[in-house]
Amino acid sequence: MKVLVAVKRVVDYNVKVRVKADNSGVDLANVKMSMNPFCEIAVEEAVRLKEKGVASEIVVVTIGPATAQEQLRTALALGADRAILVESADELNSLAVAKLLKAVVDKEQPQLVILGKQAIDSDNNQTGQMLAALSGYAQGTFASKVEVAGDKVNVTREVDGGLQTVALNLPAIVTTDLRLNEPRYASLPNIMKAKKKPLEVVTPDALGVSTTSTVKTLKVEAPAARSAGIKVKSVAELVEKLKNEAKVI
């Protein structure tokens, strides 16, 4: 079974994000970039499926600038077999990304596609669902457990009332939640081996996909600074402040 894993290059989660002075976007100058944490979970799940003998090949794909090869090499070091970079310097929305992934899916014909449920930069939580709609594949989102059984994949997903398990006919799309697994660290020998693994570079034009966006970012602002809280001596004082200062009652 071939597994396709989509990953994204994002600002490292340990970095304090700064907004550009002109409010046109996030300042990425000299900022550490990493693989999206949810995508790391997706790669780990694919590697575990291969270790169980379920998956025979893992193909990892990302969409972004040439520097995104760094994240692909990381995925190769973690256990993926080959990588595909759809090179684009444009700022792409979720639908454009889903269309590009659909073109890659049509080309590769994987039986299972695994994505992180969302990226920590845009937090849209849309690409997996859009890809499933475009491809006509069954989808299991927010997966906390994945089990492949024959021509089906059973996905346990977290819902408001607890856990829901759905059986999907392959091929299928699965998006990963935090509790699915704990990603491993790449060993030095595997990092060296990853340098020799195949990495294909294609363009949106070569895939026949237009990435013209219908959404334009008008302004990016840092969240407002929160004022310090205060302590009150009694319930009466609390009610008085809520009524006269906060004006919420």
Side-chain angles (χ1 to χ4, degrees):
M1 183 176 76
K2 181 189 291 187
V3 179
L4 181 72
V5 182
V7 302
K8 186 178 182 182
R9 175 182 172 90
V10 299
V11 176
D12 188 89
Y13 69 93
N14 288 311
V15 172
K16 185 176 181 180
V17 175
R18 296 171 298 175
V19 176
K20 292 180 180 178
D22 61 358
N23 294 111
S24 61
V26 174
D27 186 1
L28 299 179
N30 301 315
V31 171
K32 182 183 178 183
M33 307 293 285
S34 300
M35 189 190 304
N36 178 49
F38 288 100
C39 299
E40 290 181 346
I41 294 171
V43 173
E44 174 66 23
E45 191 63 24
V47 172
R48 292 188 183 190
L49 288 174
K50 187 175 181 181
E51 290 173 343
K52 293 176 182 177
V54 175
S56 57
E57 184 182 24
I58 302 171
V59 182
V60 61
V61 58
T62 194
I63 301 162
T67 49
Q69 292 188 30
E70 178 187 352
Q71 280 64 49
L72 291 177
R73 292 294 179 192
T74 298
L76 292 172
L78 291 171
D81 298 296
R82 58 188 176 91
I84 301 172
L85 169 64
V86 182
E87 189 170 347
S88 174
D90 298 332
E91 184 178 345
L92 304 178
N93 60 25
S94 300
L95 182 57
V97 172
K99 288 179 178 178
L100 290 168
L101 291 178
K102 165 67 163 52
V104 175
V105 167
D106 289 344
K107 177 184 176 183
E108 293 291 333
Q109 293 293 307
Q111 284 72 52
L112 183 63
V113 183
I114 310 178
L115 308 87
K117 72 170 185 176
Q118 65 195 79
I120 62 172
D121 52 2
S122 58
D123 265 343
N124 286 332
N125 180 23
Q126 295 175 331
T127 303
Q129 292 88 329
M130 288 178 171
L131 177 59
L134 291 172
S135 62
Y137 287 6
Q139 60 176 306
T141 55
F142 321 130
S144 60
K145 186 178 182 181
V146 175
E147 292 181 317
V148 178
D151 60 348
K152 293 183 182 294
V153 55
N154 296 323
V155 178
T156 300
R157 54 194 305 271
E158 298 189 2
V159 295
D160 289 342
L163 298 176
Q164 177 190 59
T165 301
V166 294
L168 312 176
N169 291 323
L170 295 174
I173 311 287
V174 173
T175 69
T176 61
D177 208 346
L178 283 173
R179 280 162 286 281
L180 178 58
N181 60 51
E182 184 175 342
R184 70 192 67 189
Y185 291 100
S187 65
L188 183 58
N190 287 336
I191 292 173
M192 301 305 293
K193 291 177 184 178
K195 295 180 179 180
K196 297 182 179 180
K197 290 184 177 181
L199 193 158
E200 178 185 1
V201 180
V202 297
T203 63
D205 289 341
L207 294 174
V209 177
S210 172
T211 57
T212 303
S213 179
T214 56
V215 178
K216 181 180 179 182
T217 300
L218 300 178
K219 191 176 184 182
V220 176
E221 293 179 286
R226 298 178 63 178
S227 57
I230 61 172
K231 290 184 178 181
V232 295
K233 296 180 180 180
S234 66
V235 173
E237 185 181 355
L238 172 62
V239 171
E240 188 273 331
K241 288 186 177 294
L242 290 174
K243 185 176 181 180
N244 300 319
E245 293 184 18
K247 299 186 184 300
V248 294
I249 59 174

